[in-house]
Amino acid sequence: GWVTYEWYGAMKIAYVAKVTKKGMDYVVGCGYFPFSKRDMIIGLVKGAASLFNVYKDQGKQPKEVFGIMGYPLGRFVLGDLYIYALTFSGDHVAHGERYGLIGTNGWDYKDSNGKYVNREIVAKLKKSNTGVWVDYVSKRAPKSTYAEKVMDAQGNEYFVACGYYPDANRDQVIDLVRKGYVFVKSYGLDKAAHLFNDIDHADFRYGDLYLFMFDLEGNCKAEGGNDQLVNTNMFDAKDEDGTY
C-alpha cells in the first residue's frame, strides 16, 4: 500500500509491498516527492490524522494535537495550504489560517451555491473508511477539500481537512491586480485599502489570492492576507533566503 512520511524536510509518498522468501519477510518499495497540490494536501491531512492517533495512543488529550495542527508557523501549514479540523457536529477545533474560528460552529456554513460544505464532508466520511474529496465554491473560486475522520479515546469523531483552489493561477493573479489598479485610480487609496484588507469582501479576492499595496518607501497600505502588517514598514523585510 501507500505510505506518506517526511524525508529530507519534505513530504514523500512511497508504495510498498511485502515479499516472503525462504521464510524471511522483506519490504520492496519505491517513493517520490509529489509536486501537485492534491498530493501535498493528502500528505498534510494523513500526517495530521496520524499524529492525532499517535497522541491518542499516548493518552494525550485531543486539544494538544489540535494546537499543533492549527499553529500557523508549524508543520501543518505549507505555503497557502493549511490544516483545519472540526467535530462531527461542526465545532471548529483547529484552523491554520483563521485562529478566530476556533470555538465557533460551522455546521450551517454554505457556499455561494447553497451547499452545506461541512455537512457534506461529515456525511461522506460516515459512509467511507478512507478520505473523501468535496468540491464547492469559496471566495468566488472553485475549491476542492480533502478530509479524513479521526476518533478520540471517548469515541468523539472529528474530521481533519485541507483544501485548495485549482483555478487560482497566473492569469487570475494578473486579472486581480488589474482590477485593484482600476479601483485605486477610480476611488482613491483609502477606500481601496479598506476593501483590500477586508477578508470578508470577496470582490478583491479569488480563492486564496488577495491584494497587497505598498508605497515606494515600503509602507504597507493594504494586506489582504494579514491586516496586522498594515501601517508597518517592510522595506527591509527579507525572505528565508535573505533576499530583500
Side-chain angles (χ1 to χ4, degrees), residues 30-153:
C30 180
Y32 73 104
F33 294 98
F35 293 99
S36 77
K37 278 196 171 182
R38 289 181 73 89
D39 285 335
M40 294 168 69
I41 283 170
I42 292 173
L44 282 173
V45 172
K46 286 187 177 295
S50 176
L51 184 65
F52 181 94
N53 290 325
V54 168
Y55 270 47
K56 180 175 71 173
D57 292 343
Q58 293 175 351
K60 297 181 180 180
Q61 294 299 312
K63 64 180 181 180
E64 295 184 61
V65 69
F66 289 139
I68 296 173
M69 291 182 192
Y71 181 50
L73 301 178
R75 59 189 286 192
F76 295 112
V77 177
L78 185 62
D80 56 2
L81 304 179
Y82 56 87
I83 288 290
Y84 65 95
L86 282 77
T87 66
F88 265 31
S89 57
D91 294 325
H92 289 91
V93 291
H95 205 289
E97 182 190 46
R98 299 181 67 179
Y99 182 81
L101 288 177
I102 297 175
T104 66
N105 188 278
W107 188 245
D108 293 328
Y109 167 68
K110 294 188 289 186
D111 73 357
S112 58
N113 293 328
K115 176 183 285 189
Y116 287 96
V117 177
N118 294 321
R119 295 186 190 186
E120 181 169 324
I121 291 174
V122 170
K124 283 190 171 184
L125 286 173
K126 284 182 176 180
K127 298 177 182 179
S128 175
N129 293 321
T130 60
V132 299
W133 284 95
V134 171
D135 297 320
Y136 54 102
V137 177
S138 174
K139 303 172 187 174
R140 300 192 302 117
K143 188 172 187 178
S144 294
T145 288
Y146 178 76
E148 291 195 2
K149 177 175 68 176
V150 293
M151 182 185 298
D152 66 20

Side-chain angles (χ1 to χ4, degrees), residues 3 20 22 24 33 57 59 62 84 98 115 124 144 150 152 155 159 196 199 210 225 229 240:
V3 181
T20 302
K22 295 182 180 180
M24 293 289 292
F33 294 98
D57 292 343
Y84 65 95
R98 299 181 67 179
K115 176 183 285 189
K124 283 190 171 184
S144 294
V150 293
D152 66 20
F159 71 79
F196 295 173
I199 193 170
Y210 57 83
L229 297 176
E240 295 176 354

